[in-house]
Amino acid sequence: MIRKAGTSETRLPKVLILGGGFAGSNVLREAQKTLGTRAEITLVSQDNFFLFTPMLPEISSGMLHPSDISTPIRTFCKTANFCHARVLSIDLDSKEVKVVRIFDQKEMVIEYDYLVLAMGSKDNFFGNVNIEEFAFTVKTLEDAIAIRNHVVSVLECADQEHDKVLQEQLLRFVVVGGGFAGIEIATEINHFMHDAAREFYKNIDHERIKVIVVSARNGILPEVGEELGNFALDYVRKSGIEVITNTKAVDAGEDHVLLSDNTIIPCATLIWAGGVVVEPLIADLKCQHGPSGRVVVDQYLRVQDRHEIFALGDCAHLVERNSNTVYPTTAQIAIRQAKAVAGNLAASIGGNESAMVSFDYKNKGVMATIGKRVGVALINGRKIHGFAAWLLWRTFYWMNLPTNEKKVKVAFDWMLHLVFRADIMTVGFIKKKTLTRLETPIYSILERSKDESENLTYL
Ligand SMILES: Cc1cc2nc3c(=O)[nH]c(=O)nc-3n(C[C@H](O)[C@H](O)[C@H](O)COP(=O)(O)OP(=O)(O)OC[C@H]3O[C@@H](n4cnc5c(N)ncnc54)[C@H](O)[C@@H]3O)c2cc1C
């Protein structure tokens, strides 16, 4: 209990969780168990749903539907409150957070006694404003829907385009980033485009579809090690995707991407999966930060000298003691950290700090899908590839879906896709801003004269 200032009355301690992703939602769920009615818990998130990001690329290919992988945060709220708002600023001294309500933009201030920072990360464009303007990203549900609609629009356009040069340009997709998100979105799109073109678009020679992955490293998927990384690279190339290694995308326009070796790739689509960085309002907090702005926390996931504040997930910087490396930005780590934070919050609120547990987690494995029923997995040092790895990926992530309802929906959609053809319907809701980004490159390419387009250097 906390004594109200200037009175003898007491009130429950206020726990404020910022962010409703893997980290925030799981702190909420666990803290309701560990704290019961001993605290007033509120979660603030700009999205009113929890997004299961590992399956986000499957939204872009139409394999899954948006509602399959998003769960309303209120379904997790047993005793806790939910506030659908965007965080504007955090005052660590007055222990106040300013938020703006999503619906009507009304600003509000929320006080806290304990704060949990779980606002994840955002795409890092390394200051390149052109890439930021012209690239699609793969971070939110809206991103995935925008990519899906764009891919279908490109097919529709290309089917009616009789100029072969322009048709090839429309059908050329550049994905920047050879990590999990980049490879999974590239392989999903590659599959979907080829299947859809064969089935429905009679004027498109599917050989003309070209997905190009640009990786700044010597290969792809460095997290799975050299051997599996090489297997993945070979497989991805054999499935028709061009992988350009040791190269960066350095600039972009409406209808092209410029690489660090001065190659210009004419294309209608640039998808950026080139890295993440924390939100500026987290990076600017008056506390210690890691190199990418993540908040430095101790082994109990508390912020140094601010023990009433916990940080976890993508926005926290914690060094793993055994390996002396920083914990990676993965859902697995965020889920494990959430459990520790909920326990440590209860210990702290109960005045029993000696009961706090230090966070020590050894990553048991990493997995990725790299094509139709093919994957790579590194589990406890064991290397698995092919169908078995793909099945492991599906089983593991399916089991980790947050509710039984989502498990049924996802399983059902996966089964439907075994039987039925690719779904080429565009999904209805897209914000105006996304629509502009979606359509500009296509119009721009179609308006270009053939002569102009021939001035560009082709790969
Ligand atoms: C395409 C893709 C595929 C991935 N695949 C895998 C995988 O296979 N395995 C794996 O382990 N990891 C994967 N990841 C990484 C994983 O998604 C992240 O590490 C994980 O989501 C981190 O959890 P988090 O809660 O810290 O952040 P997030 O899940 O990003 O949650 C952040 C939350 O904060 C909210 N928020 C942000 N800013 C504000 C604000 N200003 N105001 C209010 N709310 C705000 C957001 O709406 C969101 O609810 C993938 C990521 C992507 C993008």
Side-chain angles (χ1 to χ4, degrees), residues 137 161 239-240 315 359 427:
T137 47
E161 179 53 63
S239 59
C315 73
F359 180 77
V427 184

Side-chain angles (χ1 to χ4, degrees), residues 31-63:
Q32 290 178 125
K33 293 182 211 156
T34 57
L35 283 166
T37 51
R38 286 188 292 134
E40 185 188 312
I41 305 171
T42 303
L43 187 148
V44 178
S45 176
Q46 63 192 1
D47 299 310
N48 86 332
F49 55 86
F50 158 72
L51 180 66
F52 196 79
T53 50
M55 292 178 187
L56 201 55
E58 294 184 54
I59 301 293
S60 300
S61 65
M63 174 71 83

Side-chain angles (χ1 to χ4, degrees), residues 19-23 45-47 53 87 119-120 138 313-314 329-332 397:
F22 278 96
S45 176
Q46 63 192 1
D47 299 310
T53 50
V87 178
M119 286 165 53
V138 209
D314 282 10
T329 52
T330 67
Q332 289 179 54
Y397 284 107

Side-chain angles (χ1 to χ4, degrees), residues 43-44 68 90 117 128 149 254 259 268 297 312 320 326 351 362 386 419-420 442 452:
L43 187 148
V44 178
D68 293 358
I90 303 167
L117 301 171
N128 194 316
N149 283 352
E254 285 182 342
L259 304 186
V297 290
L312 72 159
E320 190 181 355
V326 179
K362 186 152 172 20
V419 183
F420 295 108
I442 297 177
E452 267 181 317

